[in-house]
């Protein structure tokens, strides 16, 4: 243990959860060292060719929806796939350099969590980005595997474990047994689609346009998946679509629940479809052990309740849904034999 900690201190090996909404970095021996939005602000040069990175993370997210023409705030990982390689590499470099301790000589070993549906071209690009950002060795772990490890599930046992990770861009449902993903399904519905649904609802109902950040805050404050949640209200500000001027309306939790029906239904359906594809022995294990929810989207009020009603299975929420993936990858970093067992080839 002590020797391990010392080795970790000297090399500062890193685990990175490159999420669609947030990037988290765990440093061996230090714990979580960075948690920032996966957003990069770039400015387009005068000639229209080439881009220059202005800001990454929190500073860049502040700019979302508030940029003048020559600046754009980009989320390089859309819908769980890398939409922009160059920007992703710039972001990765920023996070690695921030977490890397210059006093240490050794270059870090880096574990990166990737979406389960990643293509081999994308895998190579992520590896190369991390190598060129200074890694000595790169391991890739599929996010559901890391999430299961982080939520404390025994992924190496011959037992079925189901993990549902509701992120910003995607929801990934996976069944894990014997250190591998037995079956998985991914949909491009997560927190972002919920925000979009709220924007559309407010547009239809109140003739008012609200921004993504406002929609997200409405979702987090009064959003719910269930009709049984205690009612609440919230003031929201936006632009009147008819008069064209700013206005304020009061919306209710029940309206927001109605707005969220479609994305919630899509998530529930994906869980159902994955259960149908699960081999019977593993399905039997899931009946006993339940389904583990992770990801920021799983924090939506009473979503666990709705999943419980719809599946009749025990639904567990990981202690810290935001950090389950990065902590799982961190666990693997601390245990090289486990890392070799769960990492992608
Ligand atoms: P990713 O792994 O794709 O980066 P995260 O696991 O960080 O995503 O989750 C981000 C999503 O979680 C965002 O869409 C955010 O709005 C949503 N989220 C965070 N907190 C809450 C909450 N309390 N209620 C509903 N959604 C939430
Ligand atoms: Mg995630």
């Amino acid at each position: 243990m002590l020797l391990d900690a010392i080795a970790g201190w000297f090399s500062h090996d890193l685990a990175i959860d490159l999420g669609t909404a947030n990037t988290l970095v765990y440093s061996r021996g230090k714990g979580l060292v960075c948690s920032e939005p996966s957003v990069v602000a770039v400015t387009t040069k005068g000639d229209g060719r080439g881009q220059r990175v202005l800001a990454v993370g929190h500073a860049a997210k502040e700019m979302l929806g508030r940029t003048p023409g020559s600046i754009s705030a980009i989320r390089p990982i859309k819908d769980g796939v890398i939409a922009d390689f160059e920007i992703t590499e710039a972001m990765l470099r920023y996070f690695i350099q921030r977490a890397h301790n210059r006093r240490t000589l050794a270059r870090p070993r880096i574990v990166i969590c990737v979406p389960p549906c990643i293509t081999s071209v994308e895998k190579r690009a992520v590896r190369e980005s991390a190598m060129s950002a200074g890694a000595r060795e790169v391991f890739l772990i599929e996010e559901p595997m890391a999430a299961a490890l982080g939520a404390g599930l025994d992924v190496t046992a011959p037992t079925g474990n189901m993990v549902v990770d509701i992120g910003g861009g995607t929801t990934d449902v996976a069944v894990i047994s014997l250190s591998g993903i037995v079956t998985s399904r991914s949909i491009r519905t997560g927190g972002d689609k919920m925000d979009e649904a709220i924007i559309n609802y407010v547009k239809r109902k109140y003739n008012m346009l609200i921004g993504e950040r406002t929609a997200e805050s409405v979702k987090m404050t009064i959003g719910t998946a269930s009709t049984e949640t205690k009612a609440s209200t919230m003031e929201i500000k936006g632009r009147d679509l008819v008069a064209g001027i700013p206005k304020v309306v009061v919306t209710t939790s029940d309206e927001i629940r109605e707005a969220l029906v479609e994305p919630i239904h899509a998530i529930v359906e994906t869980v159902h479809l994955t259960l149908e594809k699960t081999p019977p022995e593993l399905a039997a294990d899931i009946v006993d052990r339940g389904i583990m929810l992770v990801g920021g989207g799983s924090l939506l009020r009473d979503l666990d309740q709705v999943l419980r009603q719809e599946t009749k299975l025990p639904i567990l929420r990981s202690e810290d849904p935001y950090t389950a993936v990065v902590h799982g990858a961190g666990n693997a970093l601390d245990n090289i034999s486990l890392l070799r067992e769960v990492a992608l080839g």
Side-chain angles (χ1 to χ4, degrees):
M1 265 313 266
L2 184 63
L3 277 181
D4 255 16
I6 292 170
W9 192 81
F10 278 115
S11 65
H12 281 293
D13 293 341
L14 303 174
I16 304 178
D17 168 12
L18 206 55
T20 60
N22 298 295
T23 296
L24 283 75
V25 184
Y26 166 100
S27 168
R28 194 164 174 224
K30 280 196 192 165
L32 195 64
V33 290
C34 157
S35 163
E36 292 205 46
S38 309
V39 183
V40 181
V42 296
T43 169
T44 324
K45 288 182 191 140
D47 58 6
R49 279 180 297 150
Q51 297 167 320
R52 196 163 60 84
V53 173
L54 281 182
V56 181
H58 289 299
K61 188 173 182 185
E62 282 302 312
M63 298 180 187
L64 269 183
R66 293 199 176 108
T67 52
S70 59
I71 300 176
S72 40
I74 300 176
R75 292 180 53 181
I77 309 165
K78 279 224 186 71
D79 303 331
V81 295
I82 296 170
D84 191 323
F85 282 120
E86 247 174 82
I87 303 293
T88 303
E89 180 167 344
M91 191 170 82
L92 206 49
R93 185 181 296 275
Y94 167 85
F95 286 122
I96 291 173
Q97 282 169 354
R98 255 203 54 181
H100 190 58
N101 189 331
R102 288 203 190 88
R103 281 177 306 162
T104 57
L105 297 172
R107 298 200 299 156
R109 170 185 288 150
I110 301 185
V111 177
I112 300 180
C113 305
V114 293
C117 52
I118 191 168
T119 65
S120 50
V121 174
E122 289 174 326
K123 271 187 234 168
R124 188 152 12 98
V126 172
R127 267 185 221 280
E128 281 170 8
S129 305
M131 291 303 281
S132 78
R136 151 174 58 103
E137 196 181 5
V138 181
F139 288 89
L140 304 183
I141 302 186
E142 289 159 298
E143 279 162 8
M145 180 62 77
L149 278 171
L153 304 179
D154 182 3
V155 300
T156 57
T159 312
N161 289 291
M162 179 176 265
V163 179
V164 177
D165 181 352
I166 307 172
T170 61
T171 294
D172 302 314
V173 182
V175 176
I176 294 168
S177 174
L178 287 168
S179 309
I181 293 182
V182 180
T183 140
S184 74
R185 264 187 118 85
S186 206
I187 50 163
R188 294 180 173 195
T189 296
D192 295 342
K193 280 279 158 62
M194 296 183 200
D195 301 345
E196 246 172 66
I198 292 173
I199 292 175
N200 291 333
Y201 182 91
V202 172
K203 203 187 283 176
R204 260 183 286 121
K205 173 113 191 186
Y206 293 107
N207 262 318
M208 183 169 93
L209 195 62
I210 57 169
E212 278 171 41
R213 309 277 319 263
T214 303
E216 185 181 37
S217 117
V218 170
K219 172 185 71 179
M220 291 178 175
T221 316
I222 62 166
T224 173
S226 166
T227 48
E228 287 159 31
T229 311
K230 194 166 162 283
S232 54
T233 63
M234 183 177 170
E235 247 184 23
I236 46 175
K237 302 186 185 95
R239 179 162 56 83
D240 189 296
L241 280 167
V242 183
I245 50 172
K247 78 168 176 185
V248 183
V249 302
V250 175
T251 182
T252 67
S253 50
D254 200 54
E255 286 178 340
I256 301 306
R257 180 200 54 77
E258 202 183 315
L260 296 177
V261 162
E262 230 172 271
I264 301 300
H265 174 75
I267 292 169
V268 171
E269 192 185 22
T270 307
V271 171
H272 271 301
L273 290 171
T274 316
L275 285 168
E276 278 170 23
K277 285 263 154 42
T278 303
E281 293 294 348
L282 298 179
D285 294 337
I286 295 167
V287 171
D288 295 334
R289 301 167 69 98
I291 298 173
M292 178 63 78
L293 298 186
V294 302
S298 72
L299 289 169
L300 182 72
R301 199 160 297 125
D302 289 336
L303 180 58
D304 53 340
Q305 184 100 15
V306 168
L307 277 165
R308 205 167 287 129
Q309 282 161 3
E310 295 283 334
T311 61
K312 310 277 187 291
L313 293 171
I315 306 289
L316 313 162
R317 264 182 167 157
S318 68
E319 258 167 52
D320 192 346
Y322 272 119
T323 60
V325 169
V326 79
H327 276 130
N331 291 350
L333 201 56
D334 292 340
N335 178 346
I336 187 74
S337 60
L338 177 66
L339 178 58
R340 293 198 193 283
E341 201 171 324
V342 298
L344 291 173

